[in-house]
Amino acid sequence: MKVLISTDIEGIAGVFHPEQTRPGNVEYEQARRWMTHEANAAAQGAFEGGASEVWVNDSHGGFRNLLPEAFDSRVRLVLGKPRTLGMMAGLEASPDLVFMVGYHARAQSRGILAHTINSTAFARVKVDGEEAGEAALYGRLAEERGARVALLTGDDVFGAETLPLFEGARFVCVKSAHGYSSGVTQTPAAACEAIRRAAQEVVEGNAHERFGARHEASTRHCELRVQTSALADLFCQWPLLERIDAVTLAFDAPSAEHVVRTLNCLSAMSFMLR
């Protein structure tokens, strides 16, 4: 059994402030170690449960946060950008299960450091009429590629909005949100142990399942609310997009993968206005 672990930083135990997510300071260096340890705990649990192969995808910011020397030697790491599948790079290896470690709630929720892909660009993303965060977007992409989202970790708001989207998935709550940058957290050691144990049990519980059947891709309608009208001006230079109002855009895409790739391209375009 192959497992792909996609790892973000905002949902890691002990992380509450944007400073902890930005390279170039002591708090970030500490947070990236916690991120590394939680990802490695998930990997070790997967191996203990019987996984034959584990890939870990660094899915935060520039995708260069994880510390390779701290991982189980059997792990393969996916680092750096650009990459076609973004936070789900590694699906090319046809994993059976996907774990989302350290993920966060969607934009405009009450989760810790909540956002969707790019907090300075996107205020809200809706796909086929439903609000979607990063886990929903990338989880549908994983399903299209034949992988099952089986384990989620992060804060309680993230769990409440995401767990119902993936039948049979398990959630490990490592902290509770009191607001955008406050709450109550487990210690890093306690979070790692809970994640390791859950990962082991999830892999063991799926040992006799059959995998590999892709979900058929279908046309998706994405409605995107951006943070400023200037961003809407910029994004609508792309003929694919239709402008609904000053800050709302829409486009159709042939699959969840194309929705994700389009949003990531728009996110990259947004840096022109910074």
Side-chain angles (χ1 to χ4, degrees):
M1 181 182 295
K2 296 181 182 179
V3 177
L4 172 63
I5 301 170
S6 176
T7 312
D8 208 348
I9 201 169
E10 287 87 357
I12 297 296
V15 175
F16 287 90
H17 193 276
E19 193 76 1
Q20 294 175 283
T21 73
R22 299 168 181 160
N25 66 84
V26 173
E27 287 194 77
Y28 164 76
E29 292 300 327
Q30 184 180 57
R32 74 189 296 202
R33 286 195 298 273
W34 296 339
M35 177 187 181
T36 296
H37 293 324
E38 286 195 19
N40 189 52
Q44 289 179 324
F47 282 127
E48 291 166 8
S52 58
E53 193 172 329
V54 177
W55 289 37
V56 177
N57 176 335
D58 187 325
S59 298
H60 173 69
F63 299 166
R64 296 185 293 112
N65 310 276
L66 296 173
L67 302 170
E69 72 275 10
F71 278 89
D72 186 298
S73 62
R74 295 168 289 181
V75 167
R76 290 175 179 259
L77 296 170
V78 184
L79 304 172
K81 64 169 45 175
R83 37 166 112 141
T84 302
L85 300 183
M87 296 175 77
M88 278 295 148
L91 285 175
E92 300 90 339
S94 300
D96 301 299
L97 302 179
V98 166
F99 297 171
M100 297 180 177
V101 172
Y103 269 58
H104 51 80
R106 64 180 178 244
Q108 297 189 331
S109 76
R110 297 190 66 181
I112 297 164
L113 302 176
H115 66 280
T116 302
I117 300 178
N118 183 330
S119 59
T120 64
F122 305 149
R124 186 184 67 192
V125 177
K126 297 177 74 173
V127 178
D128 298 333
E130 298 292 331
E131 288 197 54
E134 291 169 23
L137 293 164
Y138 279 101
R140 297 311 181 205
L141 168 55
E143 291 176 338
E144 281 185 354
R145 292 292 187 110
R148 177 182 301 170
V149 177
L151 179 63
L152 308 162
T153 82
D155 71 28
D156 57 334
V157 177
F158 165 70
E161 76 178 31
T162 308
L163 193 58
L165 302 178
F166 303 108
E167 183 177 356
R170 180 162 173 178
F171 173 59
V172 176
C173 183
V174 302
K175 56 188 176 183
S176 299
H178 289 178
Y180 180 78
S181 56
S182 64
V184 177
T185 184
Q186 293 188 37
T187 64
C192 285
E193 176 56 23
I195 291 169
R196 183 201 62 76
R197 185 168 57 250
Q200 177 182 352
E201 292 171 356
V202 165
V203 173
E204 289 174 342
N206 283 276
H208 302 295
E209 295 293 323
R210 296 177 63 88
F211 299 96
R214 295 188 176 208
H215 286 209
E216 185 176 348
S218 59
T219 301
R220 306 280 182 165
H221 180 74
C222 182
E223 185 177 289
L224 174 65
R225 178 172 293 174
V226 298
Q227 297 286 8
T228 68
S229 60
L231 284 164
D233 295 341
L234 173 64
F235 294 163
C236 282
Q237 300 304 306
W238 195 348
L240 175 68
L241 274 71
E242 174 190 3
R243 193 160 189 169
I244 306 301
D245 59 34
V247 293
T248 307
L249 320 171
F251 64 90
D252 292 322
S255 65
E257 176 181 331
H258 282 75
V259 170
V260 166
R261 292 172 65 178
T262 301
L263 291 172
N264 284 336
C265 288
L266 294 175
S267 176
M269 288 174 65
S270 73
F271 284 85
M272 295 176 63
L273 297 184
R274 292 192 183 183

